[in-house]
């Protein structure tokens, strides 16, 4: 399995539909290479179980395993006589559902794949469904940076506007797209941004339709936050989303710690489209 595929699975950008709805044992090997980039030895192996969802993704299973791992971290004893059983139960669940112990046969298969003596020793490589990205050359990267350098100003300018001004902004941008054909696509793009912002403000004001309650559990290390688990619930209306957010916040409040925050928010369905990739989807 290529590193590109593994990273695609971990970050939710690729899937393996052939394994949808199954649990697969995985054995990862970290290698040491020589100057010719040939493997010289295995530094370590790490067995795990990947739980594939109905689309062939693994993010939901990875988040569940990470949440279990966080729950079994040592915590200060409540008193000298009480033994808390929850960490032990969570550890047993983690070991049973997300870990496995490779035997000699599995280790030998990995070794044969790394240093094959014949063609049959090679394991069949799994392939995802994501299209291979074209290479981003230095010139292309530099040009992209230059072209997008001022994007934040556009977003900032639009977010400062209230509904009446957003209507005028979008209308004026579309007029300029017609008057300036060479820059028409750019003006149409910022018009669409303004119209989307306008619709979000309208939905927030009305409070009806589909809303989402979100809770994110984040671990902070040296000022850098890493999401370790997240939870969401679809609701009808803003009031229901607020109630659901309170409920989710209470359900996961026990995860709060010195370097772990538990935060809740509510979003319209339009805003949810930008955030949904960060959450475990059914």
């Amino acid at each position: 399995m290529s590193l590109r595929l593994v990273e695609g699975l971990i970050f939710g950008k690729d899937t393996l539909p052939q394994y949808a709805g199954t649990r697969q044992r995985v054995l990862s090997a970290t290698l040491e290479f020589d100057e010719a980039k040939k493997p010289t030895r295995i530094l370590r192996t790490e067995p795990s179980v990947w739980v594939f969802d109905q689309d062939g993704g693994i993010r939901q299973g990875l988040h569940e395993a990470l949440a279990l791992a966080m729950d079994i971290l040592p915590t200060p004893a409540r008193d000298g006589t009480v033994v808390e059983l929850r960490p032990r139960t969570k550890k047993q669940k983690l070991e049973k559902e997300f870990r496995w112990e490779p035997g000699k046969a599995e280790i030998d298969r990995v070794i044969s794949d790394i240093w094959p003596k014949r063609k049959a020793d090679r394991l069949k490589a799994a392939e995802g469904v994501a299209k291979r990205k074209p290479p981003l050359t230095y010139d292309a990267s530099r040009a992209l940076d230059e072209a997008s350098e001022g994007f934040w100003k556009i977003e900032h300018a639009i977010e400062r506007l209230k509904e009446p001004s957003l209507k005028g902004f979008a209308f004026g941008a579309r007029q300029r797209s017609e008057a300036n054909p060479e820059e028409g696509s750019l003006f149409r793009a910022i018009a669409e941004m303004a119209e989307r912002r306008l619709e979000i403000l309208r939905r927030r004001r009305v409070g009806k339709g589909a809303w989402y309650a979100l809770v994110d559990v984040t671990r902070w290390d040296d000022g850098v936050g890493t999401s370790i688990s997240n939870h969401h619930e679809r609701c009808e209306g803003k009031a229901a989303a607020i109630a659901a957010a309170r409920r989710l916040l209470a359900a996961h409040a026990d995860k709060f710690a010195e370097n772990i925050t538990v935060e809740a928010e509510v979003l319209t369905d339009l805003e949810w489209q930008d955030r949904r990739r960060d959450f475990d989807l059914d």
Side-chain angles (χ1 to χ4, degrees), residues 65-193:
L66 183 57
L68 285 173
M70 293 301 300
D71 283 342
I72 65 177
L73 290 177
T75 56
R78 296 177 180 177
D79 57 52
T81 59
V82 177
V83 177
E84 192 171 358
L85 297 179
R86 191 183 65 172
R88 183 182 303 173
T89 303
K90 294 291 182 68
K91 183 177 181 180
Q92 291 173 347
K93 180 179 175 66
L94 179 67
E95 295 293 333
K96 180 180 180 180
E97 298 186 9
F98 297 98
R99 299 287 185 268
W100 67 285
E101 189 64 33
K104 184 178 182 301
E106 288 81 14
I107 298 294
D108 287 343
R109 288 189 67 188
V110 172
I111 293 174
S112 297
D113 183 55
I114 298 171
W115 294 286
K117 295 181 179 179
R118 59 184 189 277
K119 188 176 181 180
D121 289 338
R122 282 290 191 184
L123 296 174
K124 184 179 179 180
E127 296 183 2
V129 298
K131 295 182 179 179
R132 184 177 293 275
K133 298 178 181 179
L136 185 63
T137 64
Y138 172 79
D139 289 339
S141 178
R142 184 177 178 181
L144 188 59
D145 289 340
E146 292 178 356
S148 59
E149 186 176 358
F151 277 6
W152 68 271
K153 295 181 181 180
I154 299 174
E155 185 175 5
H156 180 67
I158 291 175
E159 289 185 348
R160 288 185 305 172
L161 299 177
K162 295 182 180 180
E163 292 185 53
S165 296
L166 282 169
K167 293 178 182 179
F169 181 98
F171 181 80
R174 292 198 179 278
Q175 278 192 322
R176 294 190 184 186
S177 71
E178 297 175 0
N180 302 275
E182 293 182 356
E183 299 174 344
S185 59
L186 298 177
F187 279 113
R188 286 191 294 272
I190 63 175
E192 291 175 3
M193 290 176 65

Side-chain angles (χ1 to χ4, degrees), residues 222-239:
D222 298 326
V224 179
T226 302
S227 178
I228 57 177
S229 70
N230 38 49
H231 315 271
H232 75 277
E233 184 175 322
R234 187 183 186 279
C235 306
E236 284 300 321
K238 185 177 182 179

Side-chain angles (χ1 to χ4, degrees), residues 33 76 118 165 205 209 225 239 255:
F33 293 84
R118 59 184 189 277
S165 296
R205 172 170 48 81
K255 295 182 175 66

